[in-house]
């Protein structure tokens, strides 16, 4: 599920990361690990959120009025997926929420999540959005979806009318217009609905984009990597429409070799996420070395 040596940080990267933690004056910044190692502790209990997420009484004061909901990718639990993103966003002053969806068994602690029908999963996302809006007294939320999670957000916005409740959607290596093939043998592939639903040309994807890639009301940022074999060619990740910003990690940075896994822990990816959440305070993203998870 996770590779080793996911992210290689140079001194320049470390300095840049140090600038991403403007926590409240009376709160020490949480550690932000850039790699999958910290996620292993969460695999055994899917109900444990990552540090900085799901904090009681969190409300998003200016300049971060919208709570941020992080949406896992296939197989991942909330804790395993967001040990980089959740503490980083918390340190930056955001109210962060994570949750599990698509549990294939009646056991909340099951270590593999997001394996069931994506239309049903989108309804779970809709419930979570409404829950967070009520808890934080917010009209809209921001969504950050990794891989399958980004496509799920697209279904919620385009098909279930979620565009009225979402201010920003940020997709990290999301299979927006489908993947070419699944990583599993054919029998297992067919047994897991998302593997078929995320294939290019599927009925599920055709339903999402029947009336175009985007809907009014939300701003979109799509982060893609030319070295990601799951979404290859990377152009299939990009969206077309008003309010869309498509980002290629390798543009102006030949050192970035992010694949599908390592993008989740990349310091460059998370700088782009921060810039998308608050574009008025965007800063240049440094070009630093990022190794693929398979290295």
């Amino acid at each position: 599920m996770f590779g080793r040596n996911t992210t290689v940080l140079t001194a320049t990267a470390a300095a840049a990361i140090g600038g991403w933690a403007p926590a409240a004056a009376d709160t020490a910044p949480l550690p932000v690990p850039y790699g999958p190692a910290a996620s292993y502790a969460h695999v055994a209990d899917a109900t444990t959120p990552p540090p900085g997420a799901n904090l009681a009484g969190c409300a998003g004061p200016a300049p971060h009025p919208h709570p941020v909901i992080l949406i896992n990718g296939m197989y991942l639990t909330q804790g395993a997926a967001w040990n980089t993103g959740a503490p980083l966003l918390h340190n930056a002053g955001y109210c962060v929420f994570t949750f599990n969806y698509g549990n294939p068994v009646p056991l909340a602690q099951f270590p593999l999540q997001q394996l069931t029908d994506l239309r049903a999963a989108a309804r779970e996302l809709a419930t979570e959005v409404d829950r967070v809006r009520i808890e934080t007294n917010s009209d809209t939320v921001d969504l950050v979806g990794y891989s399958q999670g980004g496509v799920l957000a697209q279904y919620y916005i385009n098909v279930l009318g979620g565009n009225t409740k979402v201010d920003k959607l940020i997709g990290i290596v999301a299979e927006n217009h489908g993947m070419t093939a699944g990583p599993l043998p054919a029998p297992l592939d067919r047994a897991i609905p998302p593997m078929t639903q995320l294939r290019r040309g599927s009925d599920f994807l055709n339903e999402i984009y029947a009336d175009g890639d985007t809907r009014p009301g939300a701003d979109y940022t799509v982060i893609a990597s030319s070295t990601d074999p799951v979404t290859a060619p990377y152009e299939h990740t990009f969206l077309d429409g008003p309010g869309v910003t498509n980002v290629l990690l390798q543009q102006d940075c030949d050192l970035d070799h992010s694949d599908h896994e390592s993008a989740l822990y990349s310091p460059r990816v998370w700088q782009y996420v921060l810039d998308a959440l608050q574009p008025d305070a965007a800063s240049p993203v440094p070009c630093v070395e990022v190794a693929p998870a398979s290295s």
Side-chain angles (χ1 to χ4, degrees), residues 39-268:
S39 300
Y40 298 140
H42 292 269
V43 171
D45 185 357
T47 64
T48 303
N54 302 350
L55 301 181
C58 188
H64 307 315
H66 308 122
V68 180
I69 300 176
L70 307 180
I71 312 169
N72 315 352
M74 194 185 304
Y75 308 123
L76 296 175
T77 67
Q78 58 183 329
W82 302 114
N83 266 274
T84 297
L88 183 146
L89 293 175
H90 167 78
N91 288 348
Y94 290 92
C95 287
V96 183
F97 294 87
T98 63
F99 71 112
N100 290 321
Y101 64 91
N103 191 340
V105 301
L107 177 67
Q109 294 83 4
F110 190 65
L112 298 177
Q113 301 279 325
Q114 291 68 260
L115 297 175
T116 61
D117 176 78
L118 290 179
R119 291 180 177 88
R123 293 192 290 271
E124 294 184 64
L125 172 59
T127 298
E128 176 68 6
V129 168
D130 288 341
R131 186 194 70 78
V132 169
R133 289 172 60 239
I134 293 171
E135 181 174 330
T136 60
N137 194 30
S138 301
D139 291 333
T140 58
V141 302
D142 294 330
L143 302 178
V144 178
Y146 165 68
S147 187
Q148 174 185 289
V151 185
L152 196 72
Q154 285 289 111
Y155 189 91
Y156 169 66
I157 289 173
N158 286 11
V159 180
L160 300 185
N163 57 304
T164 62
K165 301 176 183 180
V166 175
D167 188 68
K168 298 179 182 67
L169 167 60
I170 303 166
I172 301 173
V173 294
E175 304 95 337
N176 285 324
H177 289 288
M179 56 186 181
T180 52
L184 299 175
L188 289 176
D189 187 299
R190 290 191 293 269
I192 300 175
M195 297 304 303
T196 300
Q197 292 174 312
L198 293 176
R199 291 278 177 82
R200 281 179 198 146
S202 71
D203 291 343
F204 177 75
L205 293 177
N206 289 338
E207 184 179 4
I208 294 177
Y209 302 113
D211 296 318
D213 287 2
T214 64
R215 297 293 182 273
D219 290 326
Y220 301 75
T221 299
V222 179
I223 302 171
S225 175
S226 64
T227 53
D228 175 9
V230 175
T231 59
Y234 67 84
E235 290 89 351
H236 285 275
T237 306
F238 289 159
L239 298 174
D240 182 29
V244 172
T245 299
N246 291 315
V247 175
L248 178 63
L249 291 173
Q250 287 72 31
Q251 183 175 347
D252 302 324
C253 188
D254 293 338
L255 295 175
D256 194 327
H257 302 285
S258 297
D259 59 11
H260 201 69
E261 292 181 19
S262 59
L264 188 56
Y265 310 103
S266 164
R268 301 191 74 247

Side-chain angles (χ1 to χ4, degrees), residues 4-48:
R4 294 180 292 108
N5 301 323
T6 299
T7 304
V8 177
L9 300 182
T10 64
T12 302
I17 293 165
W20 295 353
D26 59 348
T27 304
L30 295 171
V32 181
Y34 288 89
S39 300
Y40 298 140
H42 292 269
V43 171
D45 185 357
T47 64
T48 303

